[in-house]
Amino acid sequence: MNVPLPDVPEVRVVGLPQLTSGFDLVERLDLSLHLKVHGPLKPLTGEHVAQLADAISLRGRGGAGFPFGEKLRAVAKSAIRRGVRPVIVVNASEGEPACRKDTVLVNRAPHLVLDGALLAAEAIGARTLVVGLTRNSTEASMRRAFSERGLADRRGRSLRARIIRTPERMVSGEASALIRAIDGGPALPPGRRTRAAESGVGGAPTLLSNAETFAQLAVAARLGPQRYAHTGLPTEPGTVLLTISGAVARPMVVEVPTGVPLRYVLQLAGAPPLPQGVLTGGYHGSWLDASAAHDATVSRASLAALGGALGAGAILPIGSETCPLGEALRIANWLAAETAGQCGPCKLGLPAAAGGLSDVLNGGGPAALEALREVTQAVKGRGACKHPDGSARFLASTVSTFTDDLAAHVLGGGCGRETLGVLPLPGPEGYAEKSLPSGEKLAVDWTLCQGHGLCADLVPELIRLGPDGYPALADASVPVHLRGRAQRAVRRCPALALRIEQPPAERAPLPALPAADRKALGSGRS
């Protein structure tokens, strides 16, 4: 089972709405109604915007959580020092299947997002605004909002604004990947880490932040820091947008003040009363067990203290009827398929980690578990972007949270539960489970292998050359999306030493017993 989230799920609010004000009136707030609901917005200087962000402890809502005021000051200082105009980028690219909060904002309240972006642009003297999107619905809504405001990418304008569409992939929403796409390249991380505040779009200092971050800035600029702080915790004032999915009766995006118990939000969405676990922060996040989920409140500090993460606000409970390791394997395979293919820790490490988890589930024993831990640790901090780190965090959290299930698979015959597929993945038009293991494995006949090394060039995810020049094979099933290259590697081997072994279920069945013999076996006669 795999039920993808709709583009715009149900929206609920706990307490008084701020970001979702007016959602009870219409499906989408056009400019006229937006101004009636929220009122006009006065311009502010750069330092006033930074001080406002500091006063409300505004951090990026895209996952990294970097303080917005610090980022704005860094961009402004860099622009002044270099004597160039900075650029504003709104990152509304949601390539993660479990996130919909920014999609909801852009579809239903696009002008609130633009308010914050235009406020920041005027404050630091930016003359270029770019909005990055991934979906048809968000692009249509934002283009309507541009038209309603008269925004366009034309010469002679005091502000040139445009929309960039990126593929719906995990790595496409990474800041450097979006900047690269804006500059005309592929929507992939560039292979080296640079600070956008120093050199972003076109080499100019760039203020890039998440759509919800700009919307929160617009709300705070209207309310002022004191009124804004009346909602939520003193240390993390205001509200947050959460996407609740997984084992819930009603997937939804909910606006909730910080400090509200997480169990209340889960109950609102129809989650199991005692979830087996709750994934917090999405597929780059961490699991909470049932006890921690009961004690947690909706805040960055509370979730972190219990081992979870707020991240981009995706919250996914699972019930006791599904295998948590099987659910994690589905996500691990998807994360491996989402690699940009530009660095070893991502291109080689993530498929190996997913294969290691598959081996654990399929009876690989303690050796398979140790191999999984080693490869997960090996990818940390070594990638060209944060995708390997986030994926490793998810896998490490899975292993440390579901210890009973892990013991059942490692030491016994498994947990006895099916994998129901309650964690959402893209539908057939996108992922279509393409990266799930095929069950096939590569094998080498060492009496024939001569160490040509041609196979490693075709499938480096599964084959590496050892110090002696001979291939070392990953002890993992061949993912479906690599099957074609694996077959080509087999055909390329000049010594005919490489082969693909079929899974046991697909091997040729034994000849059927004659009816008389079957009857004898049934009666116990020899």
Side-chain angles (χ1 to χ4, degrees):
M1 180 184 77
N2 175 36
V3 182
L5 281 172
D7 258 15
V8 185
E10 175 186 358
V11 179
R12 300 287 295 272
V13 60
V14 176
L16 295 176
Q18 291 186 354
L19 299 173
T20 59
S21 292
F23 281 23
D24 57 333
L25 303 175
V26 291
E27 284 300 308
R28 179 185 180 276
L29 279 75
D30 62 15
L31 182 58
S32 175
L33 189 54
H34 164 75
L35 292 173
K36 290 178 181 177
V37 169
H38 292 283
L41 184 60
K42 297 179 180 179
L44 297 172
T45 65
E47 185 54 33
H48 282 145
V49 172
Q51 289 175 1
L52 172 64
D54 293 343
I56 64 171
S57 301
L58 180 61
R59 291 177 174 266
R61 302 299 177 93
F66 194 82
F68 185 84
E70 289 185 27
K71 186 184 293 187
L72 186 140
R73 288 189 181 94
V75 172
K77 288 179 181 178
S78 179
I80 293 171
R81 184 180 70 252
R82 294 175 53 192
V84 297
R85 292 283 189 178
V87 176
I88 304 291
V89 175
V90 178
N91 189 354
S93 303
E94 279 187 316
E96 183 172 342
C99 289
R100 288 295 185 274
K101 67 179 183 69
D102 292 325
T103 300
V104 163
L105 272 177
V106 174
N107 271 279
R108 302 196 61 181
H111 290 287
L112 198 60
V113 177
L114 288 176
D115 275 349
L118 294 171
L119 180 70
E122 186 166 355
I124 62 174
R127 293 293 178 263
T128 303
L129 166 66
V130 186
V131 180
L133 305 164
T134 54
R135 296 188 172 92
N136 291 333
S137 62
T138 50
E139 182 179 2
S141 179
M142 188 55 72
R143 290 198 182 280
R144 283 179 60 190
F146 269 38
S147 177
E148 290 163 357
R149 284 185 180 252
L151 295 173
D153 187 16
R154 297 188 189 130
R155 292 189 180 187
R157 298 216 169 199
S158 58
L159 178 75
R160 297 180 64 173
R162 59 190 172 106
I163 293 169
I164 184 77
R165 180 78 178 267
T166 60
E168 194 173 333
R169 295 193 61 201
M170 191 78 161
V171 294
S172 298
E174 202 268 340
S176 64
L178 179 54
I179 290 173
R180 192 177 180 189
I182 293 169
D183 283 339
L188 298 172
R192 67 186 189 283
R193 297 188 182 184
T194 58
R195 293 182 66 227
E198 295 291 334
S199 178
V201 175
T206 299
L207 177 63
L208 184 150
S209 204
N210 172 261
E212 184 193 344
T213 314
F214 283 112
Q216 292 282 5
L217 180 67
V219 169
R222 286 181 167 94
L223 295 179
Q226 290 185 337
R227 284 183 59 197
Y228 185 92
H230 286 167
T231 300
L233 297 169
T235 53
E236 297 180 40
T239 64
V240 295
L241 285 179
L242 303 176
T243 309
I244 315 295
S245 64
V248 297
R250 299 177 301 279
M252 63 177 59
V253 168
V254 57
E255 183 181 11
V256 56
T258 56
V260 169
L262 179 62
R263 62 181 181 274
Y264 177 79
V265 179
L266 294 174
Q267 180 183 2
L268 187 68
L274 292 173
Q276 184 177 187
V278 179
L279 181 58
T280 60
Y283 296 158
H284 277 176
S286 303
W287 290 96
L288 297 179
D289 61 23
S291 175
H294 182 273
D295 295 338
T297 61
V298 178
S299 80
R300 192 178 302 275
S302 172
L303 291 171
L306 293 167
L310 180 61
I315 306 292
L316 303 102
I318 60 172
S320 59
E321 67 282 355
T322 191
C323 172
L325 300 184
E327 294 287 346
L329 177 59
R330 294 174 61 250
I331 306 309
N333 279 304
W334 179 80
L335 290 169
E338 287 293 286
T339 172
Q342 299 182 137
C343 66
C346 201
K347 184 178 180 180
L348 305 178
L350 297 189
L357 182 56
S358 177
D359 288 343
V360 169
L361 264 70
N362 292 325
L369 177 59
E370 184 60 29
L372 170 61
R373 285 176 169 151
E374 286 181 2
V375 71
T376 301
Q377 184 65 32
V379 304
K380 289 182 180 178
R382 298 175 55 225
C385 71
K386 297 297 180 66
H387 184 54
D389 290 351
S391 303
R393 184 184 308 113
F394 168 78
L395 284 166
S397 176
T398 299
V399 170
S400 63
T401 301
F402 301 106
T403 52
D404 290 344
D405 294 271
L406 195 66
H409 282 279
V410 171
L411 303 176
C415 66
R417 288 170 290 181
E418 295 183 5
T419 300
L420 301 181
V422 298
L423 300 182
L425 288 171
E429 68 282 359
Y431 167 67
E433 307 283 352
K434 68 181 179 181
S435 65
L436 292 178
S438 64
E440 301 169 341
K441 284 194 173 184
L442 288 170
V444 173
D445 184 338
W446 296 111
T447 64
L448 298 176
C449 181
Q450 298 176 19
H452 293 98
L454 301 178
C455 53
D457 293 338
L458 276 175
V459 275
E461 297 91 340
L462 299 172
I463 305 175
R464 307 175 208 175
L465 295 183
D468 57 359
Y470 281 81
L473 273 60
D475 186 20
S477 296
V478 178
V480 172
H481 72 288
L482 293 179
R483 183 187 280 163
R485 280 197 277 148
Q487 291 170 342
R488 289 199 298 276
V490 169
R491 292 194 296 268
R492 178 186 279 192
C493 179
L496 305 180
L498 187 67
R499 66 180 185 272
I500 294 179
E501 292 184 343
Q502 299 296 323
E506 296 185 15
R507 290 174 182 156
L510 294 172
L513 288 171
D517 291 343
R518 291 200 306 270
K519 185 176 181 182
L521 286 172
S523 63
R525 291 188 289 109
S526 60

